[in-house]
């Protein structure tokens, strides 16, 4: 079959520049324009990379028009309902779902790698008492690179996997310690008798000595429904192809820096309110709105071109129909109503916003739909998770995606140091 090509014509000179088309297995094809500057003397201009593919990837596929999300070819709906987060991690890291034995080994390994070096604990003391857990988390992950410096030069599959499993296992511990430091309460060490997700809730909630509070009804304070809800949230956040934080991780990888500092940079990028920080802002905003009667006023503010106010949890660069993760969470939220103590006032305000936004021309024309962050906050609030931990929970879920993308980057012979050009317009 003849190679497909794509031609660009310079209207000023009439010169034609022809480039090979890179065929995708799903979604738009690309045009290999690496020699465009050399050929034409022009740069392409694409702030925010709205039309630029930075890599070939086999990990995650999104069809924003259809509202489709696949990890390694498997629909997110299937993973969120039929598989758990650890199976999803294994899938992202290796390309296939684990066998039963492989899952047992993977789980065992992560439990045993969940402890952090005792020396790293001292770092937390350097932070102010009320430090936001995201700042402590990103710093502690950067510091982790000095405890595992040998990962700087890895290039074999077994080494990649060890490095990846280490960070995936330790992130919940560092996140929980970051939270406990921010409250001035003693750290709770991981309990290897508990699963990945249960262990995280345990490290957030337990009392010194590993004791758990038992309610008057005799319930242990970590209920299976809570573990299931948080596990689903982790799965839904596990990867999202070339978003801002993943692109940050890949950019740092391109310089040859240590994988854990790349993850730390990803954490910092995620913190912004346009990205993962939105989940904390959604609940802040719902609380600020306060009452369903005030919703119209805030919708008007969001639509006012002279007001910087944005409806948090709405809009997405890629999803232009619906965010499948949001749909799964919305359905899930409805089914949790009976079992979890969901804040009915917050839910009333949220559903009124959703109702107006989905029928309002401003939102319809701009294809602004509720995204994952719009729903995750209400569930996390019902799990008793403090608001400052919402974005760290996004980090825990996303670490596997970042590290899988880091590994893919390292194996990709086409990749070079990330170094965009500019159109100089100064004096
Ligand atoms: N509320 C009101 N108007 C909005 C919103 C919003 N949340 N989002 C976009 N718009 C408007 C925007 O003002 C612009 O209008 P106009 O064309 O009149 O200038 C138009 O929609 C396009 O917006 P944009 O900023 O060019 O779109 P983008 O693709 O660059 O940004 C976004 C995507 C997610 C950053 C943006 O929609 C946003 O800021 N949303 C709120 C924050 C949020 O919920 N972020 C979480 C994203 S999902 C989780 C994740 O993956 O991180």
């Amino acid at each position: 079959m003849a190679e497909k090509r794509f031609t660009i014509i310079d209207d000023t000179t009439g010169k034609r520049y022809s480039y090979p088309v890179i065929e995708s297995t799903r979604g738009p094809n690309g045009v290999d324009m690496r020699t465009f500057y050399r050929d034409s003397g022009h740069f392409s201009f694409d702030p925010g990379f709205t039309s630029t593919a930075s890599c070939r990837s086999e990990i995650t596929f999104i069809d924003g028009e259809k509202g489709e999300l696949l990890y390694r070819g498997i629909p997110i709906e299937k993973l969120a309902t039929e598989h758990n987060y650890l199976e999803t991690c294994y899938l992202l890291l290796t390309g296939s779902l684990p066998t039963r034995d492989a899952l047992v080994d993977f789980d065992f390994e992560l439990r045993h790698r969940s402890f952090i070096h005792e020396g790293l604990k001292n770092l937390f003391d350097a932070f102010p008492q009320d430090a936001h857990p995201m700042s402590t988390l990103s710093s502690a992950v950067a510091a982790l690179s000095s405890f595992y410096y040998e990962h700087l030069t890895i290039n074999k599959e077994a080494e990649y996997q060890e490095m990846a499993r280490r960070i995936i296992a330790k992130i919940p511990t560092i996140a929980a310690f970051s939270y406990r430091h921010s409250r001035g309460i003693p750290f709770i060490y991981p309990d290897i008798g508990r699963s990945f997700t249960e262990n995280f809730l345990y490290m957030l909630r337990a009392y010194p000595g590993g004791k758990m509070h038992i309610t008057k009804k005799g319930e242990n304070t970590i209920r299976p429904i809570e573990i299931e809800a948080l596990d689903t949230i982790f799965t839904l956040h596990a990867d999202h192809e070339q978003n801002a934080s993943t692109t940050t991780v890949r950019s740092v990888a391109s310089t040859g820096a240590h994988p854990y500092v790349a993850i730390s940079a990803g954490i910092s990028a995620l913190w912004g309110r346009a990205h993962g920080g939105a989940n904390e802002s959604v609940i802040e905003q719902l609380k600020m709105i306060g009452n369903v009667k005030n919703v119209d006023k805030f919708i008007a503010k969001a639509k006012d071109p002279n007001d910087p106010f944005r409806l948090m949890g709405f809009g997405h660069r890629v999803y232009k129909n619906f965010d499948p993760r949001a749909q799964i969470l919305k359905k899930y939220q409805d089914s949790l109503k009976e079992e979890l103590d969901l804040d009915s006032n917050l839910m009333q305000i949220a559903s009124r916003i959703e109702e107006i936004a989905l029928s309002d021309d401003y939102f319809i024309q701009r294809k602004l739909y509720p995204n994952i962050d719009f729903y995750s906050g209400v569930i996390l609030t019902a799990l008793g998770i403090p608001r400052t931990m919402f974005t760290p929970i996004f980090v825990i879920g996303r670490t596997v995606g970042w590290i899988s993308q880091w590994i893919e980057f390292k194996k990709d012979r086409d990749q070079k140091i990330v170094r965009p050009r500019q159109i100089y317009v100064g004096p």
Side-chain angles (χ1 to χ4, degrees):
M1 213 166 54
E3 185 194 41
K4 285 190 187 158
R5 298 193 68 86
F6 193 92
T7 300
I8 295 169
I9 301 170
D10 180 340
D11 283 341
T12 315
T13 61
K15 277 194 180 159
R16 299 164 70 89
Y17 303 99
S18 169
Y19 297 98
V21 167
I22 301 177
E23 302 225 31
S24 67
T25 50
R26 286 175 198 259
N29 291 336
V31 178
D32 182 350
M33 293 183 62
R34 281 176 286 187
T35 61
F36 181 61
Y37 167 58
R38 203 169 65 209
D39 300 341
S40 72
H42 287 69
F43 294 139
S44 61
F45 179 63
D46 184 17
F49 308 132
T50 54
S51 298
T52 300
S54 60
C55 59
R56 290 181 177 90
S57 182
E58 296 179 352
I59 303 175
T60 291
F61 173 73
I62 302 175
D63 184 329
E65 298 298 329
K66 285 198 203 145
E68 193 179 31
L69 168 63
L70 314 173
Y71 297 160
R72 302 279 189 187
I74 302 181
I76 190 66
E77 291 78 5
K78 185 172 168 61
L79 291 167
T81 54
E82 295 172 27
H83 297 277
N84 65 28
Y85 177 66
L86 282 202
E87 291 174 274
T88 305
C89 286
Y90 191 96
L91 170 72
L92 286 167
L93 282 176
T94 67
S96 51
L97 282 165
T99 60
R100 192 176 293 210
D101 285 352
L103 184 61
V104 168
D105 290 348
F106 187 59
D107 181 22
F108 180 87
E109 182 176 354
L110 292 196
R111 288 178 196 225
H112 285 81
R113 290 194 186 280
S114 61
F115 295 84
I116 59 170
H117 194 287
E118 285 293 301
L120 186 58
K121 273 178 22 195
N122 299 327
L123 182 80
F124 292 88
D125 289 338
F127 283 81
Q129 170 74 64
D130 56 352
H132 193 290
M134 281 297 282
S135 78
T136 329
L137 179 58
S138 67
S139 308
V141 169
L144 204 59
S145 62
S146 46
F147 293 89
Y148 301 100
Y149 191 66
E150 70 275 15
H151 292 330
L152 184 65
T153 50
I154 54 180
N155 57 18
K156 296 188 182 66
E157 187 58 28
E159 295 171 330
Y160 288 144
Q161 290 294 332
E162 182 185 47
M163 174 282 292
R165 288 156 194 227
R166 195 166 254 156
I167 184 89
I168 293 165
K170 292 183 197 312
I171 280 270
T173 311
I174 299 174
F177 281 20
S178 299
Y179 165 65
R180 294 191 78 104
H181 173 81
S182 75
R183 292 292 160 98
I185 51 178
F187 299 149
I188 298 295
Y189 281 61
D191 174 356
I192 55 166
R194 296 175 192 265
S195 70
F196 182 92
T197 302
E198 180 185 353
N199 193 29
F200 175 64
L201 284 171
Y202 165 77
M203 288 187 286
L204 285 186
R205 294 180 185 176
Y207 288 83
K211 294 272 185 298
M212 288 298 295
H213 175 71
I214 306 287
T215 65
K216 283 183 189 151
K217 288 184 199 154
E219 279 177 327
N220 185 309
T221 45
I222 304 178
R223 292 189 288 148
I225 184 75
E226 296 182 302
I227 300 169
E228 187 191 306
L230 186 57
D231 202 80
T232 305
I233 287 180
F234 286 153
T235 298
L236 295 176
H237 286 92
D239 194 45
H240 217 226
E241 50 121 307
Q242 308 311 316
N243 56 81
S245 55
T246 302
T247 298
T248 303
V249 169
R250 281 180 173 260
S251 298
V252 178
S254 82
T255 69
H258 193 285
Y260 296 167
V261 299
I263 300 298
S264 166
I267 294 172
S268 301
L270 188 81
W271 195 4
R273 289 173 169 230
H275 196 5
N279 59 11
E280 189 179 336
S281 308
V282 167
I283 295 292
E284 265 166 28
Q285 209 169 71
L286 294 179
K287 293 217 160 149
M288 181 176 78
I289 296 171
N291 190 300
V292 79
K293 285 188 293 195
N294 302 328
V295 167
D296 288 347
K297 197 171 75 194
F298 283 92
I299 294 273
K301 269 170 83 58
K303 288 161 57 175
D304 181 351
N306 300 315
D307 190 329
F309 179 85
R310 279 192 170 197
L311 222 44
M312 299 314 284
F314 268 79
H316 198 275
R317 170 64 60 76
V318 182
Y319 293 122
K320 297 298 171 200
N321 188 335
F322 62 88
D323 177 343
R325 305 166 303 171
Q327 286 208 329
I328 295 168
L329 273 191
K330 182 176 160 50
K331 265 197 227 145
Y332 198 49
Q333 184 178 292
D334 293 340
S335 74
L336 288 174
K337 254 187 236 160
E338 302 295 307
E339 303 197 56
L340 286 182
D341 194 13
L342 299 176
D343 185 324
S344 57
N345 186 42
L346 286 190
M347 281 182 68
Q348 251 184 6
I349 300 170
S351 44
R352 181 71 189 132
I353 293 176
E354 193 187 343
E355 196 185 325
I356 299 180
L358 293 180
S359 57
D360 186 299
D361 267 0
Y362 174 93
F363 294 90
I364 294 171
Q365 275 167 16
R366 290 169 181 74
K367 301 188 172 178
L368 301 171
Y369 295 91
N371 57 50
I372 188 169
D373 295 320
F374 191 68
Y375 299 106
S376 60
V378 173
I379 299 177
L380 292 174
T381 305
L383 296 180
I385 304 235
R387 234 183 300 163
T388 54
M389 285 304 286
F390 289 6
T391 316
I393 281 174
F394 197 151
V395 168
I396 296 173
R398 182 56 56 83
T399 297
V400 65
W402 287 328
I403 213 69
S404 305
Q405 301 267 354
W406 187 94
I407 295 170
E408 189 176 70
F409 182 94
K410 285 289 167 186
K411 293 178 181 171
D412 185 347
R413 290 295 167 93
D414 279 338
Q415 291 299 336
K416 298 158 94 70
I417 185 165
V418 170
R419 204 321 183 172
R421 309 302 287 254
Q422 63 171 18
I423 317 282
Y424 180 68
V425 293

